[in-house]
Structures are given as C-alpha cells and as structure tokens.
Amino acid sequence: MLARRVVTRHLARVGARTFSSAPAFDENTLLPLFPQATQEAIQHGLNTQGFCILRDFASSAIAQAMRTEAERLYAEGHMFQSNSVDAEGRSYPKPNVFASELNGNEWDLAPTILHYTRSVMLQAPAMLNKLFPGLQMSSRAYASKLAVSLGDGASYPKHCDTAGLPDKRKVTMVYYLNPNWAPGHGGELRVFAPNGTHVVEPRADTLAVFWSDLVAHDVLPCETPVEDVAARRYALTLWLVTDNPRQINDKNHHLYPLRQHHFPDAA
C-alpha cells in the first residue's frame, strides 16, 4: 500500500514573521541542525540501509515547544481527519489520526514548528546535494504534515511515501514530539531495511531520515487510550523534493530491489 501524494509548498511561505509573544528562539538565527557528525551519519545511513535515526537532534527544549504548539493546534481545531489511499487508489480515513499541512501562516500558533521547518529547509537541501551529487534537491519546494495519533490502535499500514511521478518527494524527515513516550505506548516506526526490520521508538527530539521512494515502513498501533492526552503521538514530517525526476524510483539505485521486494507491482 502506497501513501497518497502530498502537495508541495514553497519555502517563501515560511519566511520571517512577527510574533504575538516572545518565542523561545532567535528567529534570525537558523537552528544548527546539521553539524559534520550528523551529516556523516545521514550519508552512511542512507547509503547502506536507506535510513538514519538521529537522537538529540534539535534539543529537548525545541521538541517540547513544538509539542506544546502541536497540542494547541489540535485543541483549537486546526487538525483534521487524516486519510490514506489503498492500492486501488481509493481514499479511506485512518482511525484516530488527525493532521495538518501547515501553510506558513501559523506563526501566532506555532512559531517554533515553523522556525524548525525553515531551519531544515534552508540547510538540508544543500547538505544532501553535497553528500549525494546528482540528487538535485530543491531549495524551494517541500511538503509537510503535522500529525497526531490519539491512541486506541491508531496506526499506519506499510507503505512507501512516494508511489512515483509526478510526486517528486525524495527524502523524508520525521521529527518526533513525544516527551512522555514509554514502552507499551506503541506507535513505533518500523523500517524494513536491507539488513532486517528496525523498530524506532518515537521519543521526543528523535529524527528519522529515509528515502521517500525506496524505503517501506509502517507505524505500529498506538496502545494508549484516546483520553490520555500526554501519551498522544505527535510527529512533524518534512518531505524534501528533487528537481530531477529521474531520481524517483530509479531502477539503477542499489536499494531499488528493496522497494520491489515489498511492492513488486509498483511502478
């Protein structure tokens, strides 16, 4: 089963803004998210297994501020029923999963989320183009989704984020906002890699990076009750887009057989 296409947005929409209250960061300074060690980990992980997990990525303070903003967005009705698409192209709702595709105009409600997004998008494309010559990652277009899984079995079926053209999402970056996560809560990301299946705990300040078109993954059921607000699973996903359509589902990529193993009939 393949995930639906997400419409790309343009970075110009996530520019500097004024705030109704003082933010917990300097809006004129990008978050230093990609030091050399992080770049090396991303390069090695994407090259060998198709994914990379980074703990302590931005900071616990940034993750907590983003969690608070995400909870407010949900509480005030800015998140809506999340849907997926089955193998026949039919849309269906994901029970107890709500999402918002932020458009860059939510600075009063979510300044930290948008500053994080801006910091990623002004640094990650150039980094990826340096690490992987030929990717031609866009410095302007991207896609995003802020999602909450309320519990009571909320999950995501196995899929690749990008089914094929015209969708040009190439790299997925999922940032987790769950400071109260504990074993037994569920909601783990499960990645199907060449060397086996990896289960990733969705703890706060953890970033998962993987090839959007090549790496199959799912999300295990969230086992907490819907009423347990603190245990709800929040994640912000950014999809980075390539300007080179030949990069999508490239049959010459050494990890393409991994995709075919899970989705043999995929284009």
Side-chain angles (χ1 to χ4, degrees):
M1 186 176 297
L2 301 175
R4 69 183 180 88
R5 184 184 176 207
V6 176
V7 177
T8 58
R9 306 192 184 282
H10 289 279
L11 187 58
R13 298 182 184 178
V14 191
R17 296 289 192 274
T18 57
F19 304 99
S20 58
S21 59
F25 56 86
D26 179 358
E27 68 163 308
N28 297 311
T29 302
L30 298 179
L31 299 173
L33 301 175
F34 301 102
Q36 186 62 34
T38 296
Q39 294 186 39
E40 292 172 0
I42 291 173
Q43 183 179 41
H44 176 75
L46 292 182
N47 258 332
T48 59
Q49 299 299 318
F51 80 102
C52 175
I53 305 301
L54 299 164
R55 304 290 186 187
D56 304 318
F57 177 64
S59 76
S60 59
I62 291 294
Q64 182 59 63
M66 291 172 65
R67 170 70 182 221
T68 299
E69 294 168 8
E71 289 180 340
R72 181 181 176 187
L73 286 167
Y74 176 72
E76 296 187 5
H78 297 280
M79 301 177 75
F80 305 94
Q81 173 68 61
S82 183
N83 295 299
S84 191
V85 176
D86 65 18
E88 284 72 45
R90 296 171 299 201
S91 179
Y92 66 92
K94 288 187 277 192
N96 291 326
V97 180
F98 292 79
S100 175
E101 296 177 13
L102 303 180
N103 61 21
N105 296 318
E106 299 87 356
W107 281 96
D108 283 344
L109 292 173
T112 318
I113 291 174
L114 292 184
H115 186 61
Y116 169 88
T117 299
R118 183 169 179 265
S119 294
V120 170
M121 291 309 306
L122 288 175
Q123 298 176 85
M127 173 198 69
L128 289 166
N129 286 333
K130 181 185 73 173
L131 297 179
F132 301 96
L135 272 188
Q136 296 181 34
M137 301 303 294
S138 173
S139 62
R140 291 180 54 81
Y142 71 103
S144 68
K145 178 182 284 186
L146 176 68
V148 57
S149 298
L150 301 183
D152 281 356
S155 63
Y156 291 61
K158 183 169 73 171
H159 63 282
C160 289
D161 285 350
T162 300
L165 296 172
D167 188 348
K168 293 193 291 183
R169 291 176 296 160
K170 182 62 183 178
V171 174
T172 300
M173 293 187 172
V174 187
Y175 187 57
Y176 294 105
L177 311 175
N178 307 301
N180 300 307
W181 189 90
H185 284 187
E188 295 93 338
L189 172 69
R190 190 165 57 172
V191 180
F192 302 96
N195 67 349
T197 301
H198 298 256
V199 178
V200 181
E201 298 175 346
R203 296 182 183 274
D205 201 27
T206 297
L207 182 75
V209 184
F210 51 88
W211 298 120
S212 307
D213 57 331
L214 300 174
V215 175
H217 57 284
D218 62 15
V219 175
L220 297 176
C222 296
E223 305 292 357
T224 54
V226 169
E227 297 76 18
D228 190 345
V229 175
R232 291 173 178 173
R233 178 191 187 274
Y234 282 86
L236 175 66
T237 302
L238 298 178
W239 288 281
L240 281 66
V241 175
T242 178
D243 287 328
N244 181 1
R246 291 176 295 180
Q247 289 290 332
I248 300 301
N249 294 347
D250 178 9
K251 292 181 172 59
N252 294 318
H253 195 286
H254 64 281
L255 292 177
Y256 184 76
L258 179 66
R259 174 191 173 92
Q260 288 297 97
H261 174 75
H262 292 281
F263 301 106
D265 296 326

